[in-house]
Amino acid sequence: MLLSRSRARLKQRAARAAGDTVLRLDRRLPLVDAARTTLRKAFPDHWSFLLGELALYSFVVLLVTGVWLTLFFRPSMSEVVYQGSYVPLRGVRMSEAFASALRISFDVRGGLLIRQIHHWAALVMTASVGVHMLRVFFTGAFRRPREANWLIGITLFLLTMLEGFAGYSLPDDLLSGTGLRTAQGFVLSVPVIGTYLSMFLFGGEFPGHDIVSRLYPVHILLLPGALLAGVVLHLILVVHLKHTQWPGPGRTNRNVVGKPMFPQFAAQSAGLLAIVSGLLAVLGALAQINPVWNYGPYRPDQVSGGAQPDWYLGFIEGAMRLLPGFETRLWGHTVSWNPFLPAVVFPLLFFLALYLYPFMERWITGDRGERHLCARPRDVPVRTSLGVAGIVFYGLLLLAGGQDILAHVFHVPLNALTWCLRAAVLAGPLLAFWLTRRVCLALQWHDRTRLEEGSETGDVAQSVHGGYAESRRPVAVRERHTLVHRDLPRPLPAPPAGTRAGRLTRLRRALSGWFHGDRVALPGEDADDGEPRDDATPAATGGHGRSV
């Protein structure tokens, strides 16, 4: 009895001491208020917002498995004679890096599982970041005040690609060595300074003796640190700027409707982390990836047949294969335009366009207001069409990166396939842009029809005269709110009569009309600018979707 009372008194004293400590800290640092505000922060509940979390949790798996792999991998290109468990390669001279990769795969318990989980997590993370950025682009979630977060996201995507290439190259097998040899060709193609850059990176003539030892700290320290800093800064901005949300009843630019961070959102995120980790473990256990023992060690006089880079770098490979090879002699220097244009200039221009897009759209449309509600892709046909055209362009280049494999599998002439892909790369994005724009306008017409006539029920009734008619029901209030809400900027107005505008102003006005001019006016909107009217008379639109 006395023992139980003394234990209770000790617990009470410990609780008082802990409470006093928290109060002292809170007087100096507002921890309690900050924690209360953060834990009650609302997060919208929609599946598309989980794409960023997939990338985050794949990154967590990458960090955990990567730390484990660093305990066994040896980043050295010193030659050794392999005497491990894999019999076909016994007695073969190879680098210590490749020998340690084989030892992880065959001699370390669970090593092959962890290595494959690590590789699958890298692919899933890259794909998740890419799809997440597409979601942000198509919904307009990059608009003010989130331009900085868009820049951070593009930087994270670029760093993820570089991190994947660095990790892919570390085992020093024949496939990764072929990739490094290709990368060295990219560096050598840079005019004037290409040779110096190659000597600096590889520590001498290719393959040198330093590339693996230099890639290793970049892969395990520099790039992960930059990724971690970018992720933290991205999350801080998400918390500070509020999360975007889809339009709906009660949702405005001033609030966020969703689940609080604790306990609902925290429990959901913990479950998603467990699902991602479990699926990656299943993939690592059942789906073989990067079997380096089949490729063998890298030798400069050998090339891996049918070598293909990982999918996120396949578009560069495709661009190189489609561009004809030609070179120019300038001031005593030979400029090899292939691979310089497709492998150096094209990626730089591609990412530069991604970085500048939010500011270019804001300049074209003149939209400087804060946008916290996502725009439906169909409501902004030009932006959606540009995105789809970019996806088609990327997909065709990725397809061209394996045109030799396609020609072999489908028994078609390689040259004919190459010319077909060249034509498709030029015409495909244009066709995709036109078709996507028409589909978006058709979907707007469908929304207008539903608002005016109601939703189809599927019930068909026969009248006394023998005719058939389909019954319709009114659109639900929640869905009607989503259909009607279109917070879109107007095309820039024409200048006052008698004034002359400069060329840049005329170009901006023309681009503004092209970007936001084509739309189907919904019931209750002004046909000229898309703003709600006092009456509810439906606005008429022309046959091409431009409001009239």
Side-chain angles (χ1 to χ4, degrees):
M1 192 70 174
L2 293 175
L3 183 61
S4 62
R5 290 180 179 176
S6 61
R7 287 178 178 175
R9 291 171 184 171
L10 289 175
K11 290 181 180 179
Q12 292 176 357
R13 292 176 182 175
R16 292 195 193 98
D20 293 340
T21 302
V22 171
L23 289 176
R24 293 191 188 96
L25 288 175
D26 189 57
R27 292 191 189 100
R28 294 161 177 82
L29 299 172
L31 299 177
V32 175
D33 292 339
R36 184 184 298 111
T37 303
T38 303
L39 293 178
R40 298 304 299 173
K41 178 177 175 57
F43 285 84
D45 186 17
H46 193 271
W47 66 267
S48 62
F49 299 130
L50 300 179
L51 295 170
E53 295 182 48
L54 287 177
L56 175 62
Y57 297 145
S58 300
F59 184 49
V60 171
V61 175
L62 274 172
L63 291 178
V64 174
T65 55
V67 169
W68 190 91
L69 290 173
T70 57
L71 303 177
F72 303 97
F73 183 75
R74 300 193 64 180
S76 173
M77 297 189 71
S78 301
E79 286 195 343
V80 297
V81 178
Y82 180 70
Q83 298 295 340
S85 300
Y86 188 63
V87 176
L89 290 178
R90 280 185 184 174
V92 177
R93 297 185 65 85
M94 61 185 64
S95 65
E96 285 191 83
F98 186 66
S100 65
L102 293 178
R103 186 166 64 91
I104 291 173
S105 302
F106 295 105
D107 299 322
V108 176
R109 180 169 296 181
L112 181 59
L113 174 64
I114 299 299
R115 192 175 71 83
Q116 296 199 148
I117 291 176
H118 189 74
H119 201 125
W120 277 115
L123 296 181
V124 172
M125 178 183 175
T126 309
S128 301
V129 174
V131 178
H132 175 65
M133 296 305 298
L134 287 177
R135 197 275 304 174
V136 173
F137 176 83
F138 283 119
T139 61
F142 56 82
R143 295 172 295 177
R144 185 181 177 186
R146 295 176 177 82
E147 298 95 338
N149 240 357
W150 170 263
L151 300 180
I152 293 173
I154 296 297
T155 303
L156 289 176
F157 185 53
L158 179 59
L159 292 176
T160 303
M161 295 172 61
L162 295 175
E163 175 76 339
F165 176 75
Y168 180 79
S169 304
L170 285 179
D172 197 34
D173 58 282
L174 186 57
L175 183 60
S176 66
T178 303
L180 279 175
R181 181 59 166 161
T182 305
Q184 193 230 8
F186 301 164
V187 176
L188 288 175
S189 68
V190 179
V192 182
I193 62 173
T195 305
Y196 301 99
L197 289 175
S198 175
M199 298 289 284
F200 172 76
L201 292 174
F202 290 89
E205 292 290 342
F206 181 86
H209 297 282
D210 299 328
I211 184 62
V212 170
S213 59
R214 291 178 178 179
L215 277 179
Y216 187 67
V218 171
H219 179 67
I220 70 168
L221 184 62
L222 183 60
L223 291 177
L227 282 170
L228 188 60
V231 168
V232 171
L233 183 58
H234 175 74
L235 294 178
I236 290 175
L237 288 178
V238 168
V239 173
H240 176 69
L241 298 174
K242 297 188 307 183
H243 206 295
T244 56
Q245 58 184 342
W246 289 101
R251 300 175 183 178
T252 66
N253 279 322
R254 298 178 178 273
N255 67 348
V256 177
V257 178
K259 298 178 180 178
M261 176 178 287
F262 186 84
Q264 287 93 335
F265 183 76
Q268 175 181 296
S269 295
L272 183 61
L273 173 60
I275 292 173
V276 171
S277 303
L279 288 178
L280 290 176
V282 171
L283 283 174
L286 301 180
Q288 185 184 80
I289 190 170
N290 198 24
V292 294
W293 54 89
N294 286 339
Y295 310 138
Y298 177 69
R299 290 182 52 182
D301 60 338
Q302 295 181 0
V303 176
S304 180
Q308 308 291 329
D310 277 338
W311 66 267
Y312 47 85
L313 295 176
F315 72 103
I316 299 179
E317 179 81 11
M320 285 196 305
R321 296 191 182 196
L322 294 184
L323 184 70
F326 60 100
E327 59 186 31
T328 305
R329 187 78 174 173
L330 296 173
W331 301 291
H333 297 279
T334 300
V335 180
S336 180
W337 298 109
N338 189 358
F340 178 63
L341 289 179
V344 179
V345 177
F346 170 61
L348 291 177
L349 294 178
F350 174 73
F351 278 96
L352 180 62
L354 292 179
Y355 277 116
L356 295 180
Y357 182 82
F359 308 99
M360 292 299 297
E361 181 177 314
R362 186 174 64 182
W363 178 78
I364 291 174
T365 62
D367 181 18
R368 300 188 178 276
E370 291 193 0
R371 308 293 178 182
H372 299 284
L373 295 178
C374 295
R376 292 196 307 163
R378 69 182 66 179
D379 292 334
V380 192
V382 172
R383 182 201 297 153
T384 304
S385 302
L386 288 173
V388 174
I391 294 173
V392 171
F393 184 64
Y394 174 86
L396 289 172
L397 289 180
L398 184 62
L399 197 65
Q403 87 325 7
D404 53 341
I405 305 296
L406 294 175
H408 174 73
V409 172
F410 294 101
H411 305 287
V412 296
L414 179 61
N415 290 334
L417 180 61
T418 300
W419 278 103
C420 289
L421 288 171
R422 285 172 178 170
V425 163
L426 296 177
L430 298 178
L431 179 61
F433 179 91
W434 177 82
L435 183 61
T436 303
R437 181 170 163 273
R438 300 306 305 168
V439 169
C440 289
L441 293 175
L443 290 174
Q444 291 185 32
W445 269 105
H446 178 66
D447 291 343
R448 173 179 171 171
T449 302
R450 292 182 59 196
L451 290 172
E452 291 178 339
E453 303 177 8
S455 300
E456 298 177 354
T457 61
D459 298 331
V460 179
Q462 185 178 17
S463 66
V464 294
H465 302 288
Y468 292 92
E470 182 185 21
S471 62
R472 290 176 174 265
R473 63 173 179 270
V475 179
V477 175
R478 175 179 293 273
E479 192 173 3
R480 184 180 183 86
H481 186 285
T482 302
L483 296 178
V484 171
H485 181 87
R486 296 199 306 185
D487 190 10
L488 303 176
R490 314 173 187 176
L492 295 178
T499 60
R500 294 186 60 184
R503 293 182 179 179
L504 190 62
T505 303
R506 293 198 301 269
L507 174 63
R508 183 185 181 190
R509 187 176 299 110
L511 291 175
S512 176
W514 168 72
F515 197 93
H516 279 300
D518 281 352
R519 67 179 66 175
V520 176
L522 300 178
E525 285 184 350
D526 192 334
D528 293 329
D529 54 27
E531 294 297 320
R533 303 184 304 173
D534 293 334
D535 58 348
T537 305
T541 57
H544 295 285
R546 183 175 295 274
S547 300
V548 296

